[in-house]
């Protein structure tokens, strides 16, 4: 076992957090840690046991090989972004549906307890963006809303709860992704940094252990995205916590030179670079930064300082606040509260009576699921349909389902509903990519009822906004459906 770096490559690798392709590669270098996605996790009811074993394995192996702690991270926001939803461990609900600080604290405590029990020590949550743009295709109901004081207050409760269970939480996406009209996974957004969006971060920075940068250009600050802009990251300085980049492989960064991006991010203030995808790219990045540091004493000094900062910071988040038995008891108590007492807001617009009659009179329900390739990849589209089929009130119906990933695919949709007057849509995407298609159906005289999980701004004949996917929220929806 060793606990001192042997060379610059080991120092550089400690500044990189990766996804897992080759399980052995994770142990090859003393990386800051890894992140698990939906695809990495066994989603069967007992999958949590394997998940706990995986995290425990890397924790022990890392300590044995490198003498260091490893960050075992996940994006378990709840709502539209979750990585597992076991029956006993629900993905907590969309931040958009939480209004009460006491509820926010209890929900975050529940999530934190679950993640710590499963041996995670980092959750990339809460989303502290103020969603001021109703055309925002990526934040939307992931935010607490469009009021900066509310976002700040409820974020504070999340941070307090995660700190209570000793889980490193991460405020994202600094300095605010809430006023963009592009998804930084797909394109480079432009925005303006202002006090509305900065407020939740600045108000909470003293007790927020880490933040994640946004791949967004703030035109009143710099011509570079925040991740590689010292001027932008300086808006939160001095800051004692860890600064993560968002994934550098996202398409928002595709037009920037990779090598320059690595160096600029480090110089701008990023402590840990999130690099996903091919392991060869991770290796290349380690080698490149190590070679640059050999030629540049100032860069070498920055890397060494970050190495020590990360080690000091990571160590304290591997301590457990409770025993395993206490974790399970607290989780059980909070699950009971969430299932039976926390009434998730369900917001409705339009002709509810027509929707009620439609459900009661139709023996065959043709349901169109509006999705995208990402939601298909992580299995959300099929999961939600499976859950809808299990709702008691719909079990007597014959359900025919069409999953659509392309909003321009009108021919298949119109063939599916050609003789239907009433159409039931399940809207899974945050953005308004299907708005024109819905308008087209209505212009043809169809009555369109929308069951939405993710977009509070939709308009139709009747819209039910229900801000999550997981079992606990569908139980709440089923109770609502029974009252129709």
């Amino acid at each position: 076992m060793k606990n001192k770096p042997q060379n610059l490559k080991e120092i550089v690798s400690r500044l990189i957090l990766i996804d897992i392709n080759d399980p052995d590669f994770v142990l090859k270098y003393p990386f800051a840690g890894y992140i698990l996605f939906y695809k990495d996790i066994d989603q069967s009811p007992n999958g949590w046991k394997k998940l706990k074993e995986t995290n425990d394995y890397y924790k022990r192996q890392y300590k044995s090989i490198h003498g260091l702690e490893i960050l075992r991270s996940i994006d378990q926001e709840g709502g539209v972004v979750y990585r597992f939803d076991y029956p006993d461990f629900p993905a907590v609900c969309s931040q958009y549906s939480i209004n009460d600080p006491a509820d926010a604290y209890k929900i975050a405590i529940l999530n934190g307890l679950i993640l710590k029990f499963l041996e995670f020590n980092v959750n990339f949550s809460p989303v502290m963006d103020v969603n001021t743009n109703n055309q925002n295709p990526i934040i939307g109901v992931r935010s607490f809303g469009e009021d900066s004081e509310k976002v700040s207050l409820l974020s504070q409760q999340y941070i307090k709860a995660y700190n209570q269970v000793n889980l490193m939480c991460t405020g994202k996406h600094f300095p605010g992704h809430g006023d963009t009209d592009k998804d930084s996974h797909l394109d480079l957004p432009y925005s303006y940094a202002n006090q509305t969006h900065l407020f939740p971060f600045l108000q909470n920075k003293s007790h927020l252990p880490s933040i994640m940068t946004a791949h967004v250009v703030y035109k009143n600050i710099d011509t570079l995205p925040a991740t590689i802009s010292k001027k932008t990251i300086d808006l939160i300085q001095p800051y004692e916590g860890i600064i993560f980049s968002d994934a550098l492989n996202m398409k928002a960064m595709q037009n920037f030179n990779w090598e320059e991006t690595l160096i600029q991010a480090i110089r701008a203030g990023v402590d840990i670079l999130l690099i996903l995808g091919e392991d060869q790219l991770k290796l290349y990045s380690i080698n490149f930064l190590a070679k640059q540091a050999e030629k540049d004493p100032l860069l070498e000094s920055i890397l060494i300082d970050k190495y020590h900062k990360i080690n000091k910071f990571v160590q304290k988040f591997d301590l457990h606040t409770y025993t395993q038995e206490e974790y399970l008891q607290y989780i059980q108590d909070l699950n009971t509260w969430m299932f039976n007492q926390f009434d998730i807001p369900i917001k409705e617009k339009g002709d509810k009576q027509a929707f009620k009659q439609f459900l009661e009179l139709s023996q065959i329900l043709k349901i169109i699921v509006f999705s995208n390739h990402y939601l298909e990849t992580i299995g959300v589209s099929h999961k939600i349909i499976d859950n809808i089929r299990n709702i008691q009130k719909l079990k007597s119906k014959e359900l025919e389902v069409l999953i659509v990933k392309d909003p321009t695919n009108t021919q298949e949709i119109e063939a599916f509903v050609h003789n239907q007057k009433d159409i039931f849509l399940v809207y899974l995407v945050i953005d308004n990519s299907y708005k024109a298609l819905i308008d087209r159906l209505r212009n043809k005289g169809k009555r369109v009822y929308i069951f939405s999980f993710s977009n509070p701004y939709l308009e139709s004949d009747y819209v039910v906004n229900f801000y999550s996917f997981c079992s606990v929220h569908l139980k709440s929806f089923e109770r609502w459906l029974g009252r129709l």
Side-chain angles (χ1 to χ4, degrees):
M1 183 179 80
K2 59 185 181 181
N3 54 24
K4 290 184 179 179
Q6 303 300 303
N7 52 50
L8 277 171
K9 288 183 182 180
E10 292 192 357
I11 290 172
V12 169
S13 61
R14 194 63 171 158
L15 277 59
I16 295 174
L17 190 135
I18 65 173
D19 58 343
I20 299 179
N21 296 313
D22 175 0
D24 294 331
F25 181 77
V26 183
L27 300 173
K28 187 172 182 178
Y29 288 93
F31 292 106
Y34 59 81
I35 181 170
L36 294 181
F37 294 100
Y38 190 95
K39 66 179 177 58
D40 302 312
I41 297 173
D42 181 349
Q43 302 294 333
S44 65
N46 288 318
W48 65 269
K49 294 178 181 177
K50 293 181 183 177
L51 180 53
K52 185 176 174 67
E53 288 169 2
T54 296
N55 284 331
D56 187 58
Y57 167 79
Y58 282 114
K59 176 182 177 180
R60 287 184 288 103
Q61 289 292 102
Y62 231 66
K63 193 74 174 175
S64 173
I65 296 169
H66 301 293
L68 296 168
E69 310 296 345
I70 182 172
L71 294 179
R72 305 173 298 281
S73 68
I74 194 166
D75 286 306
Q76 189 76 345
E77 296 172 16
V80 295
V81 177
Y82 69 97
R83 303 305 183 220
F84 62 85
D85 173 31
Y86 303 119
D88 294 331
F89 303 135
V92 292
C93 62
S94 166
Q95 294 182 148
Y96 186 85
S97 65
I98 302 169
N99 295 306
D100 183 80
D103 287 342
Y105 179 77
K106 289 169 81 171
I107 287 168
I109 280 280
L110 172 58
N111 203 29
L113 288 167
I114 291 168
L115 293 176
K116 283 294 282 191
F117 175 76
L118 295 172
E119 294 293 351
F120 287 98
N121 55 7
V122 182
N123 188 23
F124 292 121
S125 169
V127 174
M128 294 172 69
D129 302 305
V130 184
N131 195 66
T132 54
N133 185 346
N134 64 13
Q135 300 297 311
N136 197 322
I138 189 58
I139 303 303
V141 295
R142 296 169 63 194
S143 163
F144 287 107
E146 56 194 38
D147 179 272
S148 62
E149 292 195 6
K150 176 187 174 186
V151 171
S152 179
L153 175 63
L154 297 180
S155 295
Q156 183 182 83
Q157 296 305 307
Y158 265 55
I159 297 162
K160 179 183 173 183
Y162 287 134
N163 286 345
Q164 172 64 31
V165 300
N166 201 34
L167 181 79
M168 185 195 291
C169 65
T170 305
K172 59 188 188 186
H173 306 79
F174 181 81
H177 207 321
D179 195 32
T180 60
D181 58 4
K182 291 180 180 177
D183 177 355
S184 52
H185 293 88
L186 306 174
D187 203 347
L188 178 62
Y190 288 78
S191 189
Y192 291 90
N194 59 48
Q195 286 305 308
T196 295
H197 297 276
L198 283 167
F199 182 76
F201 295 97
L202 299 180
Q203 195 75 4
N204 290 293
K205 76 172 187 174
S206 63
H207 53 278
L208 179 62
S210 68
I211 62 170
M212 176 177 282
T213 61
H215 297 330
V216 177
V217 173
Y218 298 88
K219 293 191 283 189
N220 58 328
I221 305 296
D222 201 350
T223 58
L224 297 172
T227 301
I228 56 175
S229 166
K230 187 176 187 304
K231 289 180 182 177
T232 308
I233 293 177
D234 275 353
L235 295 173
I236 202 170
Q237 300 292 9
Y239 177 62
E240 299 300 320
I242 295 290
I243 300 178
F244 291 91
S245 77
D246 208 340
L248 295 179
N249 314 65
M250 288 163 58
K251 290 186 178 178
M253 303 299 291
Q254 66 185 347
N255 291 326
F256 295 88
N257 176 273
W258 181 260
E259 291 87 350
E260 289 180 8
T261 292
L262 296 173
I263 292 177
Q264 286 177 306
I266 293 294
R267 289 191 184 281
V270 171
D271 299 305
I272 297 180
L273 306 166
L274 183 53
I275 302 179
L276 309 180
E278 295 295 328
D279 291 342
Q280 282 301 116
L281 180 63
K282 298 157 192 170
L283 273 177
Y284 178 82
S285 301
I286 292 170
N287 291 330
F288 171 76
L289 280 172
K291 286 179 182 177
Q292 292 301 115
E294 286 175 357
K295 298 182 289 186
D296 185 341
L298 179 58
L299 178 60
E300 180 182 14
S301 175
I302 292 171
L303 295 174
I304 291 171
D305 285 347
K306 291 183 183 298
Y307 175 88
H308 291 302
K309 176 184 179 181
I310 291 163
N311 288 342
K312 182 179 177 182
F313 220 82
V314 169
Q315 194 169 7
K316 63 182 179 180
F317 287 100
D318 252 337
L319 300 174
H320 279 271
T321 310
Y322 308 108
T323 66
Q324 296 290 289
E325 292 74 18
E326 286 173 330
Y327 278 121
L328 287 172
Q329 185 60 57
Y330 294 150
I331 289 167
Q332 182 179 331
D333 292 345
L334 285 164
N335 273 356
T336 300
W337 165 77
M338 176 167 269
F339 271 92
N340 299 313
Q341 292 175 258
F342 179 69
D343 196 13
I344 294 159
I346 298 172
K347 300 176 183 179
E348 309 163 43
K349 291 185 285 188
D351 193 343
K352 180 176 181 176
Q353 191 61 32
F355 177 65
K356 180 180 176 181
Q357 289 176 347
F358 162 61
L359 284 186
E360 289 175 348
L361 297 177
S362 300
Q363 284 307 305
I364 300 176
L365 292 181
K366 291 198 171 187
I367 302 175
I368 302 175
V369 180
F370 284 168
S371 184
N372 58 33
H373 291 285
Y374 170 70
L375 294 172
E376 282 290 281
T377 300
I378 66 172
V380 165
S381 308
H382 295 282
K383 181 181 180 67
I384 196 65
I385 290 302
D386 288 342
N387 280 306
I388 287 174
R389 290 185 194 279
N390 288 324
I391 291 176
Q392 197 62 39
K393 190 159 186 172
L394 301 181
K395 278 188 175 179
S396 61
K397 311 288 185 184
E398 182 182 337
L399 301 186
E400 296 181 16
V401 179
L402 175 68
I403 297 176
V404 182
K405 303 185 288 287
D406 177 5
T408 64
N409 187 7
T410 58
Q411 189 172 352
E412 185 179 13
I413 292 169
E414 291 181 5
F416 185 69
V417 299
H418 74 281
N419 59 350
Q420 299 290 120
K421 181 74 174 174
D422 299 278
I423 303 170
F424 187 8
L425 304 180
V426 176
Y427 204 93
L428 298 183
V429 292
I430 294 175
D431 60 28
N432 289 330
S433 52
Y434 291 98
K435 183 179 183 303
L437 200 151
I438 293 168
D439 290 343
R440 178 185 174 116
L441 291 171
R442 294 179 74 196
N443 289 338
K444 288 182 171 252
K446 311 283 187 185
R447 284 192 294 262
V448 178
Y449 309 110
I450 302 177
F451 175 20
S452 170
F453 288 101
S454 52
N455 191 326
Y457 307 108
L458 294 169
E459 299 290 341
S460 192
D461 295 88
Y462 179 66
V463 183
V464 186
N465 282 299
F466 191 78
Y467 304 115
S468 193
F469 302 113
C470 80
S471 55
V472 62
H473 311 113
L474 282 161
K475 184 180 178 71
S476 188
F477 174 72
E478 187 169 0
R479 286 200 293 264
W480 171 84
L481 197 62
R483 296 193 294 266
L484 272 179

